[in-house]
Amino acid sequence: MKTGILLVNLGTPDSTSNSDVRKYLRQFLMDRRVIDINAVGRWLLINLIIAPFRGPKSAKLYREIWTKEGSPLLLHGLDLKRELQKELGENYVVAFGMRYQNPTLQSALDELRKAMVSNIIVVPLYPQYASSSAGSSVEAVMKIMAEWEVTPEVRILGPFFRHPAFQRALQSTAQGYDYKNYDHVLFSFHSIPQRHVKKSDQHYGDGKCTFGACCEIPTTGNQYCYRAN
């Protein structure tokens, strides 16, 4: 019996055309975990304002990072799938799916189901937890598997930003640069709305979020706080 590994990332447009980028933005931003307003207001905002006007601007930016082979995020994801399969061997089946667009989570889970794996380990490829990324991906996986007649054992891996191997990988990348040539080094990560942090704190925290010193020391109350992590 084999173990299934489901690698999950956020997503990418199928191409840099305006229509494909708009399609991606619509699917991504219509997620209630991403834009958490009422469904009617979300539909109007995305389809009448964001997709028509932001789509061409985003398409232009995608063209700047696109490679001859396609989307960097997709190519790196497929490379990761291939290399992890080689590393784990024949007792595992590694599948890769995107929360939005292609390859879909449906196709990745179908691959594992056809292989009749005895259990599935879901690996959201987000170092820190956020409802709009890891939370949304896990919800989508659960919705798909809810339709299965047979549901194998499922394990979902959590945030890994503190894992020594991940930290060593970041360190190894950083060591490839000669910092004597730079005046400053800036560390940055993707932001989320403050209300998302507050909602996470209210539902799975200690309810004491002040966007201040409460984030500085890891505790049970802030273990899933995006700002603290």
Side-chain angles (χ1 to χ4, degrees):
M1 293 186 290
K2 297 184 178 183
T3 293
I5 306 292
L6 176 61
L7 303 174
V8 183
N9 217 328
L10 196 69
T12 179
D14 290 334
S15 77
T16 60
S17 71
N18 289 346
S19 60
D20 278 345
V21 172
R22 286 194 180 104
K23 180 181 177 182
Y24 169 71
L25 289 176
R26 288 189 179 100
Q27 185 185 11
F28 171 40
L29 299 176
M30 278 300 294
D31 188 335
R32 66 173 183 86
R33 288 178 178 264
V34 176
I35 297 184
D36 54 340
I37 61 177
N38 72 80
V40 174
R42 185 166 59 244
W43 190 95
L44 293 172
L45 175 65
I46 293 164
N47 288 281
L48 300 183
I49 299 176
I50 296 180
F53 295 101
R54 180 176 166 185
K57 295 179 181 178
S58 296
K60 182 180 178 181
L61 294 174
Y62 274 115
R63 291 184 195 111
E64 293 179 5
I65 64 169
W66 220 254
T67 71
K68 293 181 180 179
E69 293 77 21
S71 163
L73 188 66
L74 174 59
L75 295 174
H76 290 319
L78 294 175
D79 283 344
L80 177 61
K81 172 187 174 180
R82 182 167 50 253
E83 292 302 318
L84 185 59
Q85 184 68 71
K86 279 198 248 179
E87 181 71 22
L88 294 177
E90 61 182 13
N91 290 327
Y92 292 82
V93 178
V94 182
F96 173 63
M98 296 288 199
R99 173 63 183 90
Y100 313 106
Q101 298 299 291
N102 298 299
T104 64
L105 288 177
Q106 181 74 61
S107 66
L109 284 166
D110 283 346
E111 181 181 346
L112 298 180
R113 181 168 60 170
K114 289 175 182 177
M116 291 187 291
V117 296
S118 61
N119 61 96
I120 297 175
I121 301 174
V122 181
V123 186
L125 296 173
Y126 318 106
Q128 302 136 299
Y129 177 85
S131 175
S132 53
S133 56
S136 178
S137 298
V138 170
E139 180 182 10
V141 169
M142 292 296 98
K143 283 183 177 179
I144 294 170
M145 295 190 68
E147 302 296 323
W148 290 12
E149 193 65 31
V150 175
T151 306
E153 177 186 348
V154 178
R155 178 186 173 198
I156 301 169
L157 297 191
F160 53 86
F161 65 95
R162 287 196 181 94
H163 196 287
F166 177 69
Q167 294 180 354
R168 285 196 300 271
L170 290 180
Q171 185 180 37
S172 176
T173 300
Q175 287 173 339
Y177 296 88
D178 184 359
Y179 292 99
K180 295 193 299 292
N181 297 325
Y182 300 91
D183 295 324
H184 301 282
V185 177
L186 176 65
F187 291 88
S188 178
F189 60 94
H190 200 293
S191 63
I192 63 174
Q194 287 189 346
R195 68 177 180 277
H196 287 199
V197 177
K198 278 285 190 180
K199 285 172 69 175
S200 294
D201 181 53
Q202 292 164 4
H203 287 86
Y204 208 93
D206 54 17
K208 298 178 181 178
C209 176
T210 63
F211 299 105
C214 60
C215 296
E216 294 177 2
I217 300 175
T219 66
T220 300
N222 67 18
Q223 62 180 314
Y224 283 99
C225 172
Y226 189 73
R227 189 174 188 271
N229 295 341

